[in-house]
Amino acid sequence: MTLTQVWGALLIFIVCPLLGGLPLIAWIVRALTGRRLARLGTGNVSVSAAFYHGGRLAGILAVLSEASKGIAAVLLARSFFPANPEWELIALIALVLGRYWMGRGAGTTNVVWGIAVHAPLVAVLVFVIGGVSFTLVRERKQGRILVLILLPVFMALLPNHSTAQVVAAIALSSIIAWIYQKIPDDLDLPSEQAQTGNKAVFRFFRGDKAIVSLDQPLEASKVGQKAATLSQLKRWGYPVPMGWVLTPGDDPGVMMEFLQVSEQQPLAVRSSAVGEDSEQASAAGQYETILNVTSAEALEEAITRVLASYDNPAAKTYRRDRNLPEASMSVLIQTQVRGVFSGVAFSRDPIAQQGNAVVIEALPGDAARIVSGQVTPEQYRVFVDDLQAQDVESLPVEGSGDVPPALIQQVAYLARQLESQYHGIPQDVEWSYDGQTLWLLQSRTITTLQPIWTRKIAAEVIPGLIRPLTWSINRPLTCGVWGEIFTLVLGKEAAGLDFNEMATLQASRAYFNATLLGQTFRRMGLPAESLEFLTRGAKFSKPPLVSTLRNVPGLLRLLGRELSLEKDFARDERRLFTPILEQESAYLKAGLDSSQESGAIALVSTSQPAALLERIDTLLEVLKRATYYSILAPLSFALRQALFKVKDSQLDNSQTPEVASLRSLEDIALDARNLLPHSPSSPENSSSFFTLLAEMPDGQSILEQFDRWLDRYGYLSDVGTDIAVPTWKEDPHAVRELLTQFFGETEHRYREPKEKQGWKVDSVQRRLNLKGKVTDIYSRLLAEVRWNFVALENIWLQSGLLSQSGDIFFLKFHEIRQIIQQSDQSFIDQVPQLVKQRRSQLEQDSQMASVSPLVYGNAPPSTYFNTANRQVSQKRLQGIGASPGQVEGKVKVLRSLQAIPDIDRDTILVVPYTDSGWAALLSRVGGLIAEVGGRLSHGAIVAREYGIPAVMDIHNATQLLQDGQQVRIDGQQGTVEIL
């Protein structure tokens, strides 16, 4: 490259962007009309905007100004690089980028005229083929894509082309395509508002077709959600009556000439406003629907009335109250179904807000009678538990009337199928049966049943009944950290997502916001069935490539966190976790009064409430960072295991607290057998066993080992994430019983540590070890938080503010702070009554035999239906296979660890959940069934470690199965067969 060409390149990269950003169009329109383009319509400063807002003269001058820019850029490059035509395309790229960044335009006109000078033959071919295709197909987006593809293709076909020239043409097309995705399109503006003389041109280039039918793909942003949904359903194969759409600004005369209106085939004229039938607002009954249209005059009047209904005062108020934008109205015209029976169906009960009932309202005649509200319809409830497992004819129906039960069953099946089609979102379905076909007239989201709350995942994170204090601490921690992770990936795309609404309590149980998480997943580029994954455990498909590419920056940020996870945790363990745990240990030792006779630990604090609150605040600040690792470490482990396809059997779980504590306890039992060979092999209970140890000289060493074990693992409890549950350190009775039972056994059952098996296994193993360390730290911090609250409770028990142990956990954290700060004496006076009420509510909630795995809507349901009776007839239950193997045995239902049953390897243990505290018990059974959990849950890990078949996520298992039942479980397939 010569010095002249160097200067030429500099000029191209400096002058061309500045030339592109020169706002000539804005100046032209301002001079001719006094209007500022940047403040009108889409805000674009483009040729189409000049035509639309400035008129024909402004548009023509805009074309000339932008054409001159493109020509000038090409000639500038040619003057410095006459033998390198690719530089002419590079100049156009620089011009287009400047046009986008500074001039708020796409640069289409610049490129068109620049290419005309650069390669006239290519310009002619692209213009002819692209123009003819657009005129025939009339699809604007496809037309643009075709032109952008043709440009580099024809460039490559030139006889004297260079590779660099073709690459530059590809880059130019790609950049323009990218810009089209970034800026709004002026052609989307209503054509009737364009300047006089330009409306027809706008309709042509907008791609408007004379007749728009439901057989075509339609966009909700242009024709409204109702028409777009019916179009989609029709193309999916559902029986939707034939229909046509009159889009905003279109001449109704063309439609009226096309449609042959007659009394033999009446038409229904309906609204399809932008924003109507959306997930946020249904707008039901806000706009006109005209039926039985049988003449051209009646059709014209019906179209006018439907369009006018958009501006009805009630409709305007409805949109304003729901913060809906003022948009536009399309008119949907369909052949009217002559209904023999018609009605509406709700795929989920909008009153109960849960359960598997499809609610149907129906009457003889057409659908208008139902939605009019002037007659009382017949009501039916149909229970659809599993679309795949149930035949339509076998669906149970409640209710009777004139409508045939078989039709009601078909309607229920259709409603639930539509819900499944829309990824688990409950649907309000309007239908009509004409004696031969069950027609689908409408399907829209039941807005009152949003969001969807799911027990899946939540039941494993915080199982069982949850007290107010636990929830007031766990919820902001969990929601806050998940929000940080999602925001890290989404960046600006996270705007409008309130991650504080990620979780709620229903009947003292935790539920996660599946709707919010589904929206988040979709914005992250994950597949549309993400919501089904949360609510039903469906598998993910491969995410769309375009969505993945769009989220590459965020995914790279998350990948950076994942790669540095081990190093970051080591740093925080050294700087944060270890110092505060050592400090709290010192506090605890200074304030503990141990009673060796009872084995209990009474927590007595010399600190004042304010000092305890300060320590709790410090612990919670550190716990927030630990929560980050407790979420990211299991995710990292699961992703690596899936990516490297490492089997569970190749991994060593010995560093996880649930396994490490269990092995250590078994080692103590083995030492006890070696030291006391002549003692009874199986003491009657832990009391007699520990008395025996205390009376024998050699037994003292075993007691000391157990005390050290309790110091190490005493932070564990039945529910590791619930600070309201006493730890083993406070109540060691359960682990004393387990040690006693281990003493009576003669062999270890856990698998030996694995040998090294390659870098992939090593990579996954390191993450598994990290997960174990994180669980240890997180659980210890939670235990320290609990012990400080217990110390505070002891003070208030002595003062009389609280009346019994555990009362403090019925207060919320901000209420405890309020009491300590004495900011509201009236509230302090109400504390005893408040605690009593909340205790009573928890007791009522605990009496529920089962709760719904899904709850729809924010208003809490009044009742919780027990679905166990309907499901118990099933001989085969499907869950998640968590530990491979098959085994038969007798069921033993255990709902808590308060009473440890007599179990052996013939026992199939059925539990509501499995936390680290259950680990020791699980090692002694033949198989495991749990109501919640998955492959990464504590019970699954222990089961795999001991080679015990395990099936998780069998809803209502403790209700469906009974003590003594013979069952066969398959831990690979995730099935439970009742024998």
Side-chain angles (χ1 to χ4, degrees):
M1 182 179 287
T2 66
L3 182 61
T4 302
Q5 289 178 325
V6 171
W7 281 108
L10 287 174
L11 279 174
I12 288 172
F13 289 127
I14 295 173
V15 173
C16 287
L18 293 174
L19 182 63
L22 197 64
L24 294 180
I25 295 177
W27 294 343
I28 291 169
V29 174
R30 182 73 183 276
L32 293 177
T33 67
R35 310 176 83 182
R36 297 185 180 216
L37 279 185
R39 299 180 182 178
L40 298 173
T42 61
N44 291 346
V45 182
S46 62
V47 169
S48 54
F51 272 108
Y52 189 91
H53 298 291
R56 184 170 298 175
L57 178 58
I60 292 172
L61 293 176
V63 170
L64 294 174
S65 67
E66 293 307 306
S68 63
K69 288 182 183 180
I71 294 170
V74 171
L75 294 178
L76 174 65
R78 187 175 294 177
S79 65
F80 286 99
F81 299 94
N84 302 100
E86 64 270 13
W87 275 97
E88 297 176 16
L89 297 178
I90 292 172
L92 285 177
I93 291 173
L95 184 73
V96 166
L97 290 174
R99 183 85 178 82
Y100 170 66
W101 283 326
M102 293 182 279
R104 299 194 66 179
T108 305
T109 306
N110 307 128
V111 172
V112 168
W113 289 93
I115 294 297
V117 175
H118 169 75
L121 179 60
V122 170
V124 170
L125 290 173
V126 170
F127 174 77
V128 171
I129 296 178
V132 170
S133 300
F134 175 75
T135 303
L136 294 175
V137 180
R138 303 298 304 281
E139 290 288 352
R140 188 197 331 156
K141 289 185 177 179
Q142 285 86 335
R144 284 175 173 170
I145 293 172
L146 176 63
V147 167
L148 293 175
I149 292 174
L150 289 176
L151 175 60
V153 169
F154 286 142
M155 201 70 73
L157 294 176
L158 286 176
N160 298 319
H161 76 275
S162 65
T163 302
Q165 188 179 10
V166 175
V167 170
I170 293 172
L172 179 60
S173 291
S174 301
I175 289 170
I176 294 176
W178 174 74
I179 292 174
Y180 282 153
Q181 301 297 319
K182 292 295 182 180
I183 63 175
D185 193 344
D186 294 303
L187 293 175
D188 284 334
L189 295 170
S191 59
E192 69 272 10
Q193 296 178 15
Q195 290 293 307
T196 304
N198 295 332
K199 293 182 181 180
V201 175
F202 256 80
R203 285 183 185 142
F204 177 81
F205 284 108
R206 198 174 63 178
D208 290 350
K209 296 186 172 117
I211 301 298
V212 178
S213 78
L214 294 182
D215 291 325
Q216 304 163 209
L218 301 178
E219 296 182 29
S221 60
K222 296 179 181 179
V223 301
Q225 190 68 52
K226 182 184 295 180
T229 297
L230 289 175
S231 164
Q232 185 179 57
L233 291 170
K234 202 169 193 301
R235 287 181 289 110
W236 279 343
Y238 288 96
V240 175
M242 188 58 203
W244 305 267
V245 182
L246 187 67
T247 57
D250 281 354
D251 183 3
V254 177
M255 180 73 74
M256 293 172 62
E257 290 178 9
F258 172 78
L259 296 175
Q260 300 298 316
V261 189
S262 68
E263 293 186 1
Q264 288 72 35
Q265 183 56 71
L267 300 176
V269 182
R270 312 168 67 189
S271 64
S272 184
V274 174
E276 183 183 4
D277 288 355
S278 65
E279 289 188 22
Q280 290 72 38
S282 67
Q286 298 301 317
Y287 308 119
E288 286 273 8
T289 294
I290 313 296
L291 301 178
N292 297 311
V293 176
T294 57
S295 67
E297 295 77 12
L299 177 59
E300 183 176 15
E301 181 184 354
I303 292 172
T304 302
R305 286 177 58 186
V306 170
L307 287 172
S309 67
Y310 188 78
D311 294 320
N312 286 342
K316 287 184 175 181
T317 302
Y318 181 90
R319 294 194 296 270
R320 184 178 63 250
D321 291 345
R322 288 157 181 79
N323 296 316
L324 298 176
E326 291 295 319
S328 57
M329 168 83 83
S330 292
V331 178
L332 174 61
I333 304 170
Q334 289 181 276
T335 55
Q336 184 171 323
V337 176
R338 298 179 183 270
V340 177
F341 298 103
S342 303
V344 294
F346 301 95
S347 66
R348 299 285 168 173
D349 191 329
I351 305 302
Q353 298 179 243
Q354 60 176 313
N356 289 326
V358 176
V359 178
I360 299 172
E361 295 183 345
L363 274 177
D366 59 45
R369 298 183 65 203
I370 297 288
V371 298
S372 68
Q374 297 177 4
V375 292
T376 301
E378 299 170 1
Q379 296 200 4
Y380 302 86
R381 288 165 59 87
V382 184
F383 295 95
V384 185
D385 295 324
D386 189 335
L387 280 175
Q388 282 72 40
Q390 290 178 283
D391 295 327
V392 178
E393 297 80 8
S394 67
L395 297 177
V397 179
E398 287 184 1
S400 60
D402 295 330
V403 184
L407 178 59
I408 293 297
Q409 290 170 321
Q410 290 179 18
V411 171
Y413 191 85
L414 172 66
R416 190 57 61 79
Q417 194 177 52
L418 287 168
E419 176 186 286
S420 177
Q421 192 80 58
Y422 285 107
H423 316 299
I425 298 175
Q427 296 292 300
D428 170 0
V429 179
E430 190 176 327
W431 57 273
S432 188
Y433 177 67
D434 64 3
Q436 293 182 333
T437 302
L438 176 59
W439 293 98
L440 176 58
L441 305 182
Q442 184 169 299
S443 184
R444 61 189 175 197
T445 299
I446 305 176
T447 55
T448 58
L449 296 187
Q450 295 288 305
I452 302 173
W453 300 98
T454 175
R455 281 282 284 158
K456 189 174 288 291
I457 302 176
E460 186 177 350
V461 174
I462 315 179
L465 296 167
I466 302 172
R467 291 159 180 79
L469 181 55
T470 298
W471 189 244
S472 65
I473 287 175
N474 284 44
R475 181 176 180 267
L477 281 174
T478 303
C479 294
V481 172
W482 271 114
E484 288 179 12
I485 294 173
F486 287 142
T487 303
L488 176 73
V489 177
L490 290 172
K492 294 180 180 179
E493 290 291 318
L497 297 176
D498 186 0
F499 296 111
N500 292 322
E501 297 300 319
M502 191 180 294
T504 190
L505 278 186
Q506 301 273 14
S508 300
R509 276 92 169 175
Y511 284 80
F512 279 175
N513 189 333
T515 300
L516 175 61
L517 291 172
Q519 292 171 347
T520 304
F521 289 161
R522 286 193 288 273
R523 291 193 190 187
M524 291 170 66
L526 291 175
E529 63 268 21
S530 55
L531 183 57
E532 292 175 287
F533 164 75
L534 288 172
T535 57
R536 292 173 176 81
K539 293 183 178 180
F540 270 9
S541 64
K542 290 184 178 179
L545 180 61
V546 174
S547 300
T548 303
L549 293 176
R550 186 175 66 244
N551 287 280
V552 163
L555 294 173
L556 289 176
R557 288 192 294 269
L558 186 61
L559 177 62
R561 294 284 186 92
E562 196 279 337
L563 293 174
S564 65
L565 195 62
E566 202 168 357
K567 181 184 69 176
D568 292 345
F569 177 76
R571 178 200 63 211
D572 286 339
E573 183 180 26
R574 184 176 66 255
R575 296 179 181 178
L576 286 176
F577 305 141
T578 300
I580 196 168
L581 287 172
E582 290 176 349
Q583 185 183 54
E584 286 300 311
S585 179
Y587 282 140
L588 187 63
K589 288 179 181 178
L592 283 178
D593 178 33
S594 299
S595 175
Q596 296 297 331
E597 289 77 13
S598 64
I601 295 178
L603 294 171
V604 181
S605 175
T606 57
S607 301
Q608 293 300 312
L612 288 170
L613 179 62
E614 185 178 350
R615 278 162 52 187
I616 290 170
D617 283 335
T618 303
L619 280 166
L620 291 179
E621 190 62 33
V622 176
L623 189 60
K624 182 178 181 180
R625 186 62 180 168
T627 303
Y628 164 81
Y629 291 111
S630 75
I631 291 173
L632 214 54
L635 284 177
S636 172
F637 164 65
L639 288 172
R640 288 194 178 204
Q641 187 178 16
L643 180 64
F644 297 140
K645 298 181 180 179
V646 174
K647 298 179 181 179
D648 294 322
S649 59
Q650 296 175 274
L651 299 171
D652 177 15
N653 291 281
S654 61
Q655 293 193 33
T656 60
E658 53 266 49
V659 174
S661 62
L662 187 57
R663 290 186 175 186
S664 181
L665 196 65
E666 285 189 291
D667 289 339
I668 295 173
L670 180 61
D671 289 344
R673 283 200 300 273
N674 293 333
L675 286 172
L676 309 172
H678 303 296
S679 65
S681 61
S682 182
E684 293 181 3
N685 52 52
S686 64
S687 178
S688 61
F689 177 55
F690 274 77
T691 299
L692 176 65
L693 291 174
E695 291 174 350
M696 301 184 65
D698 292 337
Q700 192 60 39
S701 65
I702 303 300
L703 293 176
E704 290 174 357
Q705 283 189 59
F706 180 74
D707 287 340
R708 288 194 298 272
W709 182 91
L710 205 56
D711 285 339
R712 175 64 183 89
Y713 297 107
Y715 64 83
L716 295 173
S717 68
D718 293 3
V719 186
T721 54
D722 190 350
I723 62 171
V725 178
T727 61
W728 289 346
K729 182 181 284 289
E730 298 164 74
D731 183 8
H733 174 73
V735 288
R736 286 180 174 225
E737 288 288 341
L738 289 170
L739 177 63
T740 304
Q741 294 180 16
F742 281 151
F743 177 77
E745 295 182 353
T746 58
E747 61 175 324
H748 287 297
R749 293 182 61 190
Y750 59 74
R751 297 179 298 157
E752 294 301 321
K754 315 294 183 303
E755 297 180 359
K756 296 292 183 181
Q757 301 184 53
W759 68 270
K760 291 183 178 180
V761 175
D762 184 59
S763 174
V764 178
Q765 183 65 57
R766 288 203 313 273
R767 280 297 181 266
L768 178 58
N769 294 343
L770 177 64
K771 176 176 174 285
K773 293 178 182 178
V774 169
T775 302
D776 180 67
I777 292 292
Y778 181 78
S779 301
R780 289 170 64 189
L781 286 169
L782 274 179
E784 297 292 348
V785 171
R786 169 183 164 79
W787 293 332
N788 276 279
F789 276 120
V790 170
L792 181 60
E793 180 183 60
N794 288 336
I795 295 174
W796 287 346
L797 286 172
Q798 294 173 9
S799 69
L801 179 65
L802 302 178
S803 59
Q804 59 178 300
S805 177
D807 274 356
I808 197 169
F809 298 103
F810 289 92
L811 296 171
K812 299 175 183 177
F813 188 37
H814 78 272
E815 294 171 344
I816 291 174
R817 187 184 302 278
Q818 199 173 346
I819 294 171
I820 293 175
Q821 295 173 348
Q822 298 185 343
S823 58
D824 187 348
Q825 186 59 44
S826 62
F827 171 74
I828 297 175
D829 295 338
Q830 297 171 9
V831 165
Q833 185 62 28
L834 182 64
V835 169
K836 182 179 179 181
Q837 290 175 354
R838 290 176 178 172
R839 270 191 180 275
S840 175
Q841 184 62 54
L842 188 78
E843 179 61 27
Q844 290 180 36
D845 293 341
S846 69
Q847 299 304 313
M848 295 178 182
S850 66
V851 294
S852 176
L854 294 173
V855 174
Y856 300 86
N858 280 319
S862 56
T863 58
Y864 284 79
F865 296 104
N866 188 343
T867 58
N869 291 335
R870 221 171 33 250
Q871 294 177 341
V872 76
S873 60
Q874 299 179 17
K875 294 295 184 182
R876 185 182 178 91
L877 306 175
Q878 181 67 53
I880 296 174
S883 180
Q886 294 183 352
V887 66
E888 290 184 18
K890 289 186 177 181
V891 165
K892 179 62 183 178
V893 178
L894 186 63
R895 294 184 175 86
S896 73
L897 280 175
Q898 298 304 311
I900 298 177
D902 184 16
I903 57 178
D904 54 32
R905 297 184 190 181
D906 293 326
T907 302
I908 306 297
L909 192 64
V910 181
V911 298
Y913 58 88
T914 57
D915 210 299
S916 53
W918 295 71
L921 185 64
L922 302 181
S923 68
R924 299 165 44 225
V925 300
L928 171 67
I929 301 170
E931 291 187 332
V932 299
R935 292 179 60 256
L936 297 182
S937 61
H938 297 285
I941 292 172
V942 174
R944 290 195 295 270
E945 192 67 16
Y946 284 80
I948 302 166
V951 178
M952 321 297 283
D953 201 38
I954 298 289
H955 180 58
N956 277 341
T958 59
Q959 302 296 322
L960 296 173
L961 302 174
Q962 300 174 359
D963 287 350
Q965 271 186 318
Q966 193 79 11
V967 298
R968 179 189 298 118
I969 70 174
D970 186 329
Q972 182 71 40
Q973 301 298 324
T975 58
V976 176
E977 187 177 356
I978 301 174
L979 303 177

